[in-house]
Amino acid sequence: MKHWRNVTILAVASSLVLTTGCGPTLSKEQQQSQQQGIPSTNGQAANRLKSEQSNGVKQLGTGGTTRIQAAGGSSQITVPVVDVNGTAYVVGSDFAKSLGYDFDWDGERNVFQLGDHDAAYEFTAGSPQAEKEDQKVSMNEPVLLQNSQVLLPVASLTSLMQEELTIQKQDKNIVITASDMAVEGSIDGPDEANTGAELDFEDDPNDPFKGVEEDASPTMGALEAEGVSITVDEDAVPVLKNINVPGMIAQAKRYLGVKYDFGAKPYPQSGRFDCSTYTRYIFGKYGISLPRTARAQARLGTSVSRKSLRKGDLMFFYVPGRFKTNKTVGHVGIYMGNQLMIHASPKPKDGVQITNINKAYWKRTYLSAKRFVY
């Protein structure tokens, strides 16, 4: 499967404006469909998509994304609109790049994925159905595929993302206003001393596993290595569960170095993780079923303070971006104690890694912690 990856393509236009600017034999009908950017599937959705696109698509925008420095130090970004039979669309990849989101195209499912460190949104080509944070939603217009570009309906995007973005249609563009402040300190910045300051993370002195050595035996991982199948009940509701937490941490460390992949499919199939598939996989080994996305995981569990963290708590952060809110969950990791977190991330390394979170970056992007185990 060929992926589209998020690549920032920005060139300075002025001090105030930036621009972004061999397989199986196919039938004649399939070849035509591919040339038109239509999924080679049967059914009403594909037929409707082909019918709509045969009428042509008119590009109404300026030909590229434009970023403008506005008064008062704020910023706005404009993304050109594509008109399809009177309905406004934006190119999915341009929309994602403008916001600093990652994105991917799953050719096996005809799905366009969008999000931070996992796929918070999924859009199916030829369908008005989408997924937001593991929940199915209906849009008024279908997602289109034209010349290998995914087109997302503007009106539905405005409604779907209203909690995190302000999108306004103005003439031949959509305009997004900056809603985030810059984060002090880089993701790989220096460690800071824990002085008990407001933003410092602290361990719960009553953690029953504080100081307990990590021991992965007996584990389900050993069974897995012997070829025993492990299944997770995706419909189960997570509850606070008594498990061998040090064993779970040891199990999590077995996957150190496994590469990160945005929108990763289940690990046994892909051999990759994104942030939420990693936490889901590790917790699933102990009979705890978590949703697919970090945002959905953050809605569950028992809330705990950053000053009372225990081993096994899930920690949630936002991912800084100039045109994204700083209140939306974009990343999740597993707390290991002593200000250490194990997580799957593209940065500062690529893959499953252990990070000291006593850094300015993590302190300022932290949103919440949830407890599922004890």
Side-chain angles (χ1 to χ4, degrees):
M1 177 180 68
K2 183 177 181 181
H3 293 283
W4 297 345
R5 308 308 301 170
N6 184 3
V7 181
T8 304
I9 310 175
L10 295 176
V12 177
S14 70
S15 61
L16 299 181
V17 182
L18 302 178
T19 60
T20 63
C22 152
T25 302
L26 302 178
S27 67
K28 180 178 181 181
E29 182 178 1
Q30 288 175 317
Q31 292 175 13
Q32 291 174 344
S33 295
Q34 286 195 353
Q35 291 171 359
Q36 295 174 357
I38 301 170
S40 57
T41 57
N42 296 321
Q44 294 181 349
N47 291 334
R48 181 178 66 250
L49 178 59
K50 184 174 181 178
S51 175
E52 290 174 345
Q53 293 181 347
S54 66
N55 292 324
V57 173
K58 182 180 180 182
Q59 178 74 42
L60 294 182
T62 58
T65 300
T66 305
R67 184 174 298 170
I68 302 175
Q69 194 73 24
S74 63
S75 298
Q76 291 182 333
I77 191 165
T78 65
V79 182
V81 167
V82 176
D83 180 87
V84 182
N85 300 326
T87 300
Y89 286 82
V90 291
V91 176
S93 57
D94 289 347
F95 180 71
K97 292 174 187 177
S98 71
L99 299 171
Y101 278 124
D102 205 345
F103 63 94
D104 200 10
W105 169 252
D106 185 340
E108 294 180 3
R109 297 189 297 141
N110 287 327
V111 167
F112 180 78
Q113 299 173 306
L114 174 71
D116 282 302
H117 288 175
D118 63 1
Y121 297 91
E122 291 193 346
F123 302 92
T124 303
S127 172
Q129 298 296 315
E131 282 196 19
K132 176 183 178 180
E133 303 166 19
D134 288 8
Q135 300 294 318
K136 295 186 182 300
V137 296
S138 297
M139 303 186 296
N140 292 328
E141 308 87 5
V143 174
L144 304 181
L145 199 60
Q146 172 69 19
N147 297 326
S148 298
Q149 289 184 321
V150 174
L151 303 181
L152 305 176
V154 170
S156 293
L157 275 182
T158 302
S159 175
L160 195 64
M161 306 185 77
Q162 61 181 331
E163 297 175 356
E164 58 196 282
L165 299 173
T166 300
I167 303 173
Q168 295 178 315
K169 186 176 181 299
Q170 294 184 6
D171 194 17
K172 301 176 181 180
N173 302 284
I174 58 170
V175 178
I176 306 169
T177 303
S179 59
D180 193 11
M181 300 298 291
V183 174
E184 296 180 8
S186 64
I187 194 171
D188 57 351
D191 297 346
E192 297 183 349
N194 192 336
T195 63
E198 181 182 358
L199 297 183
D200 283 355
F201 300 105
E202 296 181 16
D203 291 350
D204 181 355
N206 297 316
D207 184 350
F209 297 108
K210 186 176 179 65
V212 177
E213 293 294 326
E214 297 168 4
D215 181 6
S217 299
T219 68
M220 297 181 75
L223 297 176
E224 182 184 35
E226 295 172 5
V228 178
S229 176
I230 300 172
T231 60
V232 176
D233 181 5
E234 298 185 5
D235 296 324
V237 178
V239 295
L240 206 60
K241 186 174 182 179
N242 186 0
I243 70 168
N244 175 10
V245 175
M248 184 178 73
I249 299 298
Q251 190 65 206
K253 292 170 66 176
R254 289 184 53 180
Y255 299 93
L256 285 169
V258 171
K259 294 301 183 181
Y260 167 88
D261 184 26
F262 174 80
K265 295 182 179 180
Y267 176 75
Q269 177 182 355
S270 67
R272 298 288 187 270
F273 292 115
D274 63 21
C275 71
S276 56
T277 58
Y278 177 64
T279 55
R280 187 186 195 203
Y281 187 70
I282 298 302
F283 274 69
K285 286 178 173 291
Y286 289 82
I288 302 166
S289 181
L290 297 178
R292 167 64 179 82
T293 66
R295 295 188 190 184
Q297 292 177 10
R299 292 195 294 262
L300 304 175
T302 300
S303 297
V304 294
S305 166
R306 71 197 295 159
K307 299 294 188 180
S308 302
L309 297 170
R310 293 184 178 185
K311 291 182 178 182
D313 289 345
L314 288 186
M315 304 187 72
F316 299 91
F317 305 83
Y318 75 90
V319 178
R322 187 60 176 148
F323 295 90
K324 297 183 292 183
T325 177
N326 60 2
K327 302 298 182 183
T328 302
V329 171
H331 188 61
V332 60
I334 304 172
Y335 190 61
M336 301 176 62
N338 298 316
Q339 287 75 57
L340 297 177
M341 177 178 69
I342 187 167
H343 58 131
S345 174
K347 297 178 181 180
K349 301 176 183 178
D350 177 17
V352 178
Q353 57 199 279
I354 295 176
T355 296
N356 187 328
I357 56 174
N358 229 11
K359 301 175 184 285
Y361 175 92
W362 295 106
K363 292 178 182 180
R364 287 165 174 77
T365 60
Y366 169 82
L367 292 175
S368 65
K370 292 295 185 74
R371 184 165 297 154
F372 297 83
V373 300
Y374 68 97

